[in-house]
Amino acid sequence: MQRIPLLAGNWKMFTTLAEAVDLARAIADHPLPADRQVMLAPSAPALHAVAEVLRDTDIALAAQNVCWEDKGAFTGEISPLMLKEAGATMAIVGHSERRQIFAETDELVNKRLTGALQAGITPILCIGETLTEREAGSTMTTLENQLRQGLAHVNLIRGDELVVAYEPVWAIGTGKTASAAQAQEAHGFCRSVLADIFDKAIAQQIRILYGGSVNPANVDELMAEADVDGALVGGAALKAETFLPIINFKTQ
Ligand code: PEP
């Protein structure tokens, strides 16, 4: 199975409702290449309105996080069923901002991911090393631990039920990007761990996105790497002028 490149915009806690609708419209109004998939992740209160804009397009809608329970006393959380009702078909889990600012552990990330899968929402599992870990030479250990713990007790029938995003923490929102070679090394390693967790055929189907200061100037080089199957984009996804060229990255 061919891995269809996924260009995903994480709008974080930005945009008013009106800005979210305008941005979604500006992206949806452009003809998108048929050989790739686009996903937008607005803040939760904008999901429903953005879903209306994306209706009748091929652009996927994602939540930025997801709870594991359908309902209950979980103040501040949003259930997979509620997200589906709002129009989301995908959900980011384990973003480094959730891990670092909100102390989300691998165990919690695993619960979120499992809840999403059970509800038929495609999780995007974010993993990535800090600068200290990279400098200490423990990048691959961190990635392997986050994958194994984040995916504990997970069974997949097909690899396209899951997306992984390799996002080096030192590259998120900093303007520093991993080189294409660094990204490929990490992605290739992650795929080998996925092959061990699941099997080789499923690992070949799982899309592994790169995230960390992706912009129109570096996207072509990153996307040219064999195991880079797309991009998770923060800052540059907040303007159509910068996200559209990323969507339209050039294949080699
Ligand atoms: C992100 O939020 O996942 C991200 C990669 O942000 P940025 O593109 O701004 O580095």
Side-chain angles (χ1 to χ4, degrees), residues 10 12 95 97 126 167 171-175 211-214 232-236:
N10 171 17
K12 310 195 186 197
H95 191 280
E97 287 150 17
C126 299
E167 300 206 294
I172 297 180
T174 59
S213 299
V214 174
L232 182 53
V233 187

Side-chain angles (χ1 to χ4, degrees), residues 68-191:
W68 51 93
E69 294 284 345
D70 287 346
K71 60 181 173 183
F74 295 91
T75 302
E77 291 288 327
I78 308 175
S79 83
L81 292 188
M82 291 168 177
L83 293 176
K84 276 171 71 171
E85 214 176 11
T89 56
M90 304 180 85
I92 298 170
V93 294
H95 191 280
S96 68
E97 287 150 17
R98 300 297 320 170
R99 293 176 189 265
Q100 295 207 315
I101 306 170
F102 301 99
E104 291 202 7
T105 59
D106 286 310
E107 197 185 2
L108 194 70
V109 172
N110 175 251
K111 285 177 90 164
R112 294 190 185 283
L113 183 140
T114 305
L117 277 174
Q118 277 168 0
I121 289 182
T122 307
I124 302 177
L125 170 62
C126 299
I127 57 169
E129 81 286 3
T130 61
L131 186 58
T132 312
E133 287 164 337
R134 177 157 283 268
E135 286 175 350
S138 57
T139 295
M140 303 306 164
T141 309
T142 299
L143 299 183
E144 178 159 8
N145 287 341
Q146 290 179 341
L147 281 174
R148 288 196 186 278
Q149 290 172 42
L151 294 169
H153 315 297
V154 168
N155 288 308
L156 297 181
I157 295 166
R158 298 183 327 269
D160 63 359
E161 290 173 87
L162 169 73
V163 176
V164 170
Y166 166 59
E167 300 206 294
V169 178
W170 49 271
I172 297 180
T174 59
K176 287 186 197 142
T177 317
S179 67
Q182 283 172 324
Q184 172 55 33
E185 184 190 24
H187 284 224
F189 174 75
C190 289
R191 202 175 303 285

